[in-house]
Amino acid sequence: MYHLIDVVGSPTRFLLVAGVALVLGALLARVLHPGLATVIGVGLFGAGLVWYVTNLATNPSFDVLLADTVELLTGRRLLQIANVRLWVTSFAAAPVFLTTYFALRRWYVMAVFVAGLTLSFFVLTTDASVVTTLLGVVGGVAGIGFGTLDSVANEGRATTSGADPPPTVTDADDGIDAGRRSVLAQLAAVIVLPTVVSRIPGVEGTALSLLSGASGTVEGSLVDAGDSLTVQGSLSLSDVHRFTIEAEEPSYWRVGAYDRYTGDGWVRTGNASEYDDGEYLGDGPATETRKLVQTVEVESDIGTVPAAWKPVRYEGDSDVLVTRHDGLQPESGLESGDSYRVESARIEATEEDLRAAGDDYPDDVTGTHVQLPESTPDRVAATTDTLTENAETPYQTALIIERWLKRNRGYSLDVSRPRRNVADRFLHAMSEGYCTYFATTMAVMLRTQDIPARMTVGYTPGDAVGSGRWEVRGLHSHAWVEMYVENWGWVQFDPTPAGPRQAAEQQRLDEDGDGGTNQETLTETGTTPTPTPTPTETPEPGETPTPTPPPIRTRPPDATRTDERTVTPAGTDDGNQLPGVPSREEAALGVVALLGTAAGLRRLGVPERVSRGLWLRYQSPETPAEDVETAFQRTMYVLAERHRERRPGETVRAYLDAVDADEDVRRLAGLRERLRYGGSVSAEAAEEAIDIADTVVAER
Amino acid sequence: MTDTTASRQSDSALRDASRLATGVIENVEAVIVGHHDAIEHIVTALLGRGHILLEDVPGVGKTMLARSVAASVDGEFKRVQFTPDLLPTDVTGVNVYNQKTQEFEFRPGPIFANVVLGDEINRAPPKTQSALLEAMEEGQVSADGTTREMPQPFTVIATQNTVERHKAYDLPMAELDRFMTKLRLGYPDADEETAMLGEVVGNHPIDALEPVATLAELQAARQAVAEVTVEEPVRAYATRLAAHTREHARLGVSPRGSINLLRAAQARAVLSGRDYVIPGDLQTEAPVVLPHRVRTDNSDQPAEELVAAALDRVAVE
């Protein structure tokens, strides 16, 4: 469960600490008194705490720490802590030590208790995914179950180790084997039952369900995602009217940014701070800016404050917070009818300025913005290297990546979510996706070049209604990338092909047939050059210094690996639709589920029942002797079902008398008696026996 | 089931044996009112080459039953009344000096007969009892260093009194083991007793009893019984029964007990007109063949109960 550390990279130190704790626990398990060990464990925890606090860059007061802890326990993700690496390294030692110690001392319940405590912490912070939690719980149950059996077995051996007869031992072993099987079956039930329950139609989507909803809307997955965002599978577009914005020029209405990439999603680190109406936020590093004033009327409830980048002043009906990334965030949601005014400082940089910018980034920018999960495959960096080898500055790199993605990946809302690293899959296996995939991939690619980049979500300008007025709907939600340019700050890039996306949006509107006005306006927007809301995305002709991306319609020479997939944006029959290889946790759970199901079935006697049913119904002639015996056993089975089983000490005759069997059965019993005890049977008798048995079974 | 242990015998021999058994039973029942099961058991023992021990309180017809069985067979019948002062030679016979021939000659005791009724066998001292028991088991008698064969067929029907225990020498287990069956008669039903009283107030019917079988017929019947098939499942069942008693009692059924059980079962099969033994035969005979060979752990638990439990629990296959 600790491998979440992987997200923040370079887990060496963490592994070292955990390893030392593990070895320590293992060594001390033999010699140390439990009480003392608990003290040491608590001591380790305390030491980790002190170390964490003293190593924090900022020096928070005690109550802030306390508040943070409470927030963590009420669902805040651990990855939102700015310095996750430090946190995990500080706190890993104690649980690892205690768990190892107790497990080796055969105090399985205590060991599982400690591990479970840790796990529940992760569950509360929502860092543990369903699968991880399930695996943890299954592991815990297995630990207790098998552990207890192990103890019992040991005690059994200890008590019978003397001059006791071997039968006792084998009996005990048999019992333990049965116990193991039953534990296994229970584990399978733990895994399988919730899954099955989730599949029941009425349950899906309720709290009982383990399966996340099959498809949501783009808006739901992006804009309403809150502090963390998971890349989804297939999505649809919603046409709910969100807000109307009045501004001098269109822009991407930005809602928020995410800085920590987890492989399958994004997390926003850091706390939001309070903001007083009208307070002026800094312009950022850019020296030349242009003021853009937007007035927004909220048309339906939203939990965000859309505004053009970079907001510097806010006045409105509800209070807002400022995120660590200078974004605005309402304290509570905005209601329909609310309105606000945002002043944004837009960067007034020329193409040359941006192109010339170097790679000298401030420390607070590089921190989480260039970090990638340790599990990110090297080929992401390799592919990006190849693509951008001719770029001289970070800005050129970004332009190349942006254009490459636009040209080589199709737009589709109907994709199956990759199981692992989204960026890697989108870059190397998938042929199409939607804005989240484009933006994620571009951000990750930039980061492989050590360029600070982050994932940004919000809305596209929307439908123009009159001059300086735009209607923004749910279907305009979008994701793009912000890259930090030296001396200028965060600059926006949109790697998603604009044409197909707008087509999709329009199609969505057409489907509803919302009325002529909408369609008309949409057509207008479709033709307006909205894909370049910020000066960063200047038209392509001016791209002479980057010769690598060749003219349109020729494939990039270096992207050999993706060549075949570059052409068809509409094709869905590519390799990307294959289900991905399951993760290790899922595989482990699957194996346990399989084994357990097998054990459970065996416990329930399903195989026996099936073979019995077959045996009962179909008798193929063998030798007369076998025929008679089988026919007899079939009949007895039916009689046992109908009346009662023959008691062990009861002779067949007594039994038949007791159940008042009919003549045929008695005749069959007589044949069998003669065969079994008299040693003779004829072929005719065998046939007769089978006939009788068939009749009896048929009457069943 | 291809291996047959006993050779197939002709149907006629089996029928004859069956008819003989039925004849004897009917004959005895002319005299003895009730006790049908006991009579059958006695006949099966007779055909199964076994000896019978009747145990009960005085006056329930033990001796009468034995006498009527003996009278049904046309053989030599002797009766020995065991008393505390009875000597072994009184049973087996003695060498006496013949003045005329100037030689010792053997004067056979009452045991030299086809059917011997040993009345109140537990009244005699162990030495005398053992003289009888050697004859029963070995089919021979040793006197003064000479061993003499017993006549064939040879069956001992002994009775034993269960009252006045202090005046009796209880048979040791080793000797009890030599009786194939040990029966308790018990008191007759009220109806049966009434009927019996009606019969015996005049001339006792036993005086009119005629033999229904010759010695040769009895021998042939015994031979037929001995050839009745005992298949492996039945033998295994007998073994399991014996094993069960050995596991649950201080002294379980001996191999001799198992042999006797199978022999009795063979006779029982003939009685039912079958030429093979079924487990049911064993179950019928076990309650009289096995208990006297078992000594339970707990004196409160009768051996009969243990045998009944064994029959209940040991699986019939």
Side-chain angles (χ1 to χ4, degrees):
Chain A
M1 64 185 86
Y2 288 96
H3 76 111
L4 287 168
I5 183 75
D6 160 77
V7 170
V8 289
S10 68
T12 328
R13 184 143 69 152
F14 159 72
L15 285 180
L16 193 71
V17 169
V20 167
L22 195 78
V23 171
L24 202 65
L27 286 179
L28 293 182
R30 303 279 168 214
V31 291
L32 205 60
H33 187 266
L36 201 53
T38 314
V39 171
I40 290 187
V42 172
L44 278 176
F45 186 77
L49 192 68
V50 170
W51 193 57
Y52 174 63
V53 171
T54 52
N55 273 278
L56 271 179
T58 55
N59 223 342
S61 62
F62 183 72
D63 55 334
V64 171
L65 279 177
L66 202 64
D68 275 359
T69 313
V70 171
E71 269 188 54
L72 280 175
L73 289 179
T74 50
R76 195 158 182 243
R77 290 196 65 176
L78 206 51
L79 285 171
Q80 286 173 244
I81 296 186
N83 204 337
V84 178
R85 195 186 309 169
L86 182 62
W87 191 92
V88 173
T89 316
S90 309
F91 289 109
V96 170
F97 170 77
L98 284 177
T99 307
T100 320
Y101 173 83
F102 286 123
L104 284 177
R105 278 193 84 96
R106 298 186 187 284
W107 288 25
Y108 295 107
V109 176
M110 277 306 286
V112 170
F113 175 72
V114 173
L117 214 58
T118 319
L119 178 65
S120 24
F121 179 75
F122 281 113
V123 171
L124 284 176
T125 63
T126 63
D127 277 300
S129 70
V130 170
V131 172
T132 314
T133 312
L134 188 56
L135 191 66
V137 170
V138 165
V141 173
I144 293 181
F146 289 127
T148 311
L149 284 172
D150 190 32
S151 308
V152 169
N154 273 324
E155 279 163 25
R157 259 175 226 126
T159 51
T160 58
S161 60
D164 288 317
T168 333
V169 176
T170 54
D171 279 0
D173 282 352
D174 282 353
I176 286 160
D177 272 351
R180 285 192 183 125
R181 276 200 291 279
S182 91
V183 169
L184 209 52
Q186 284 158 15
L187 291 184
V190 167
I191 299 169
V192 174
L193 277 184
T195 319
V196 172
V197 167
S198 304
R199 291 277 177 206
I200 298 170
V203 178
E204 203 165 330
T206 67
L208 270 178
S209 176
L210 272 185
L211 310 164
S212 45
S215 64
T217 62
V218 176
E219 187 184 22
S221 84
L222 291 179
V223 182
D224 300 339
D227 285 336
S228 63
L229 178 154
T230 306
V231 178
Q232 307 281 332
S234 297
L235 291 178
S236 55
L237 293 171
S238 126
D239 70 339
V240 178
H241 193 170
R242 287 305 180 194
F243 54 90
T244 309
I245 202 157
E246 275 180 38
E248 291 159 16
E249 57 181 353
S251 161
Y252 274 18
W253 315 120
R254 188 177 174 283
V255 159
Y258 296 92
D259 55 341
R260 174 159 288 154
Y261 177 56
T262 63
D264 62 353
W266 292 85
V267 173
R268 180 185 303 144
T269 67
N271 292 333
S273 48
E274 287 178 15
Y275 174 80
D276 295 331
D277 262 18
E279 183 186 342
Y280 181 72
L281 297 163
D283 273 358
T287 45
E288 294 169 40
T289 57
R290 174 165 47 91
K291 189 184 279 186
L292 173 66
V293 178
Q294 311 128 70
T295 313
V296 179
E297 289 163 31
V298 180
E299 304 286 350
S300 59
D301 297 358
I302 51 176
T304 54
V305 183
W309 180 252
K310 171 191 182 287
V312 292
R313 200 189 297 276
Y314 167 93
E315 286 166 343
D317 291 341
S318 37
D319 295 334
V320 294
L321 301 171
V322 179
T323 69
R324 202 167 81 95
H325 311 297
D326 294 334
L328 295 176
Q329 189 182 330
E331 248 173 39
S332 52
L334 295 181
E335 286 170 13
S336 160
D338 283 0
S339 67
Y340 60 83
R341 180 177 169 277
V342 175
E343 223 179 281
S344 296
R346 311 205 57 177
I347 298 168
E348 281 274 283
T350 62
E351 183 77 11
E352 285 70 33
D353 290 340
L354 295 171
R355 277 184 195 283
D359 57 0
D360 185 17
Y361 305 111
D363 283 349
D364 63 326
V365 169
T366 48
T368 52
H369 290 109
V370 294
Q371 205 165 57
L372 286 172
E374 197 70 8
S375 60
T376 309
D378 292 340
R379 58 179 182 169
V380 177
T383 307
T384 315
D385 286 347
T386 326
L387 280 175
T388 62
E389 63 184 348
N390 288 334
E392 284 160 10
T393 64
Y395 185 73
Q396 289 175 6
T397 308
L399 284 179
I400 293 170
I401 294 173
E402 183 190 45
R403 198 170 44 183
W404 187 86
L405 283 172
K406 263 186 190 177
R407 291 198 184 144
N408 292 295
R409 287 292 175 274
Y411 184 86
S412 167
L413 287 169
D414 184 21
V415 293
S416 61
R417 191 173 89 80
R419 285 169 175 275
R420 284 161 299 153
N421 204 305
V422 171
D424 173 53
R425 301 300 294 173
F426 190 66
L427 193 55
H428 292 120
M430 300 167 69
S431 66
E432 51 189 12
Y434 48 87
C435 51
T436 320
Y437 288 87
F438 283 95
T440 301
T441 309
M442 177 163 176
V444 170
M445 287 170 84
L446 284 172
R447 286 182 179 195
T448 64
Q449 306 301 312
D450 289 327
I451 300 169
R454 64 192 186 188
M455 163 98 165
T456 314
V457 298
Y459 296 89
T460 56
D463 306 333
V465 281
S467 71
R469 202 174 152 83
W470 285 267
E471 263 183 20
V472 182
R473 296 167 182 278
L475 54 84
H476 292 123
S477 57
H478 191 38
W480 60 94
V481 175
E482 285 178 347
M483 173 191 132
Y484 193 87
V485 179
E486 185 194 14
N487 296 331
W488 290 97
W490 295 100
V491 172
Q492 297 181 339
F493 288 84
D494 186 1
T496 314
R501 174 175 61 76
Q502 286 165 352
E505 290 172 10
Q506 183 174 7
Q507 190 187 359
R508 176 68 185 84
L509 270 184
D510 288 348
E511 277 168 15
D512 281 8
D514 252 11
T517 49
N518 266 342
Q519 286 185 28
E520 273 172 32
T521 51
L522 191 84
T523 325
E524 273 175 41
T525 29
T527 51
T528 50
T530 44
T532 57
T534 59
T536 62
E537 258 194 277
T538 42
E540 298 185 357
E543 281 189 21
T544 32
T546 53
T548 322
I552 316 173
R553 288 198 180 69
T554 45
R555 295 167 189 173
D558 297 319
T560 47
R561 186 184 312 216
T562 48
D563 267 354
E564 323 90 68
R565 303 193 186 90
T566 53
V567 196
T568 57
T572 50
D573 49 354
D574 223 321
N576 63 331
Q577 297 293 346
L578 288 175
V581 181
S583 70
R584 264 177 305 170
E585 290 89 348
E586 288 166 329
L589 282 175
V591 167
V592 173
L594 270 182
L595 283 177
T597 309
L601 286 181
R602 213 181 130 196
R603 248 170 99 74
L604 291 175
V606 170
E608 286 86 349
R609 267 187 226 174
V610 170
S611 67
R612 165 136 320 152
L614 287 176
W615 163 83
L616 196 58
R617 276 169 192 79
Y618 308 105
Q619 183 175 1
S620 57
E622 308 280 343
T623 66
E626 286 172 21
D627 285 352
V628 172
E629 183 64 26
T630 311
F632 174 75
Q633 295 299 349
R634 290 163 65 203
T635 311
M636 291 307 276
Y637 182 78
V638 175
L639 285 184
E641 273 188 345
R642 196 181 296 161
H643 306 284
R644 61 168 173 85
E645 297 223 15
R646 184 159 65 97
R647 282 191 279 271
E650 197 174 27
T651 62
V652 176
R653 286 173 182 235
Y655 172 67
L656 293 182
D657 287 345
V659 303
D660 198 21
D662 60 22
E663 274 311 305
D664 277 351
V665 175
R666 284 174 196 276
R667 164 92 184 130
L668 173 59
L671 287 172
R672 186 257 187 179
E673 185 185 276
R674 173 166 287 280
L675 160 75
R676 188 164 177 79
Y677 307 121
S680 71
V681 68
S682 66
E684 297 82 52
E687 277 172 29
E688 187 185 351
I690 293 182
D691 283 347
I692 295 174
D694 284 346
T695 319
V696 171
V697 172
E699 282 168 4
R700 190 162 81 114
Chain B
M1 305 303 152
T2 47
D3 60 323
T4 44
T5 48
S7 60
R8 306 245 133 235
Q9 54 189 321
S10 67
D11 285 351
S12 65
L14 185 75
R15 264 201 303 277
D16 288 347
S18 186
R19 197 180 304 127
L20 181 142
T22 326
V24 171
I25 290 169
E26 282 170 2
N27 212 31
V28 172
E29 285 190 328
V31 178
I32 306 295
V33 179
H35 300 309
H36 177 79
D37 291 345
I39 296 166
E40 279 191 351
H41 284 307
I42 289 173
V43 173
T44 53
L46 186 69
L47 293 177
R49 290 163 294 161
H51 307 285
I52 302 124
L53 178 62
L54 295 170
E55 179 186 79
D56 221 317
V57 292
V60 291
K62 297 189 295 291
T63 309
M64 190 58 62
L65 178 58
R67 274 181 63 196
S68 49
V69 171
S72 301
V73 181
D74 181 23
E76 197 175 349
F77 171 70
K78 292 266 178 63
R79 173 175 177 176
V80 187
Q81 180 68 47
F82 283 72
T83 55
D85 56 355
L86 194 73
L87 295 174
T89 48
D90 294 337
V91 176
T92 57
V94 68
N95 281 317
V96 292
Y97 186 69
N98 191 326
Q99 297 261 342
K100 265 185 225 163
T101 57
Q102 308 233 323
E103 277 177 357
F104 282 97
E105 63 179 30
F106 183 70
R107 191 170 290 173
I111 201 170
F112 286 90
N114 297 113
V115 179
V116 176
L117 173 59
D119 240 351
E120 302 200 82
I121 188 173
N122 56 343
R123 291 242 178 271
K127 202 176 174 184
T128 311
Q129 290 173 353
S130 69
L132 175 71
L133 293 164
E134 185 204 347
M136 283 164 55
E137 180 65 18
E138 311 293 336
Q140 61 188 25
V141 165
S142 306
D144 290 344
T146 316
T147 302
R148 291 181 174 79
E149 288 293 317
M150 305 298 298
Q152 285 298 330
F154 171 65
T155 295
V156 173
I157 303 175
T159 68
Q160 165 161 274
N161 215 330
T162 53
V163 295
E164 300 176 302
R165 276 281 158 93
H166 53 284
K167 292 179 184 170
Y169 304 92
D170 276 345
L171 289 176
M173 289 300 283
E175 295 175 354
L176 274 179
D177 205 16
R178 299 182 188 181
F179 289 97
M180 176 181 271
T181 54
K182 178 176 145 186
L183 295 167
R184 283 173 194 277
L185 293 183
Y187 293 106
D189 297 349
D191 293 348
E192 288 172 352
E193 192 164 350
T194 314
M196 185 263 294
L197 291 177
E199 281 180 26
V200 297
V201 283
N203 291 327
H204 198 288
I206 195 162
D207 301 331
L209 209 58
E210 293 292 325
V212 292
T214 64
L215 279 184
E217 282 170 345
L218 181 58
Q219 276 294 74
R222 282 186 161 193
Q223 188 59 37
V225 165
E227 287 173 10
V228 164
T229 306
V230 185
E231 277 288 353
E232 195 277 337
V234 178
R235 300 199 298 271
Y237 179 52
T239 312
R240 284 200 299 277
L241 281 177
H244 187 274
T245 62
R246 285 172 210 157
E247 278 166 22
H248 293 85
R250 188 142 54 96
L251 181 66
V253 173
S254 61
R256 176 162 52 202
S258 301
I259 294 170
N260 277 309
L261 178 60
L262 286 185
R263 284 184 178 171
Q266 282 179 313
R268 175 65 63 171
V270 168
L271 217 58
S272 317
R274 253 180 292 113
D275 64 348
Y276 54 89
V277 174
I278 60 171
D281 297 331
L282 268 62
Q283 293 201 340
T284 315
E285 292 301 324
V288 296
V289 176
L290 298 184
H292 61 282
R293 306 167 201 273
V294 172
R295 182 151 293 170
T296 54
D297 296 329
N298 176 357
S299 56
D300 291 343
Q301 187 196 19
E304 286 80 2
E305 252 179 38
L306 191 128
V307 171
L311 290 175
D312 200 39
R313 292 193 195 135
V314 175
V316 180
E317 282 178 0

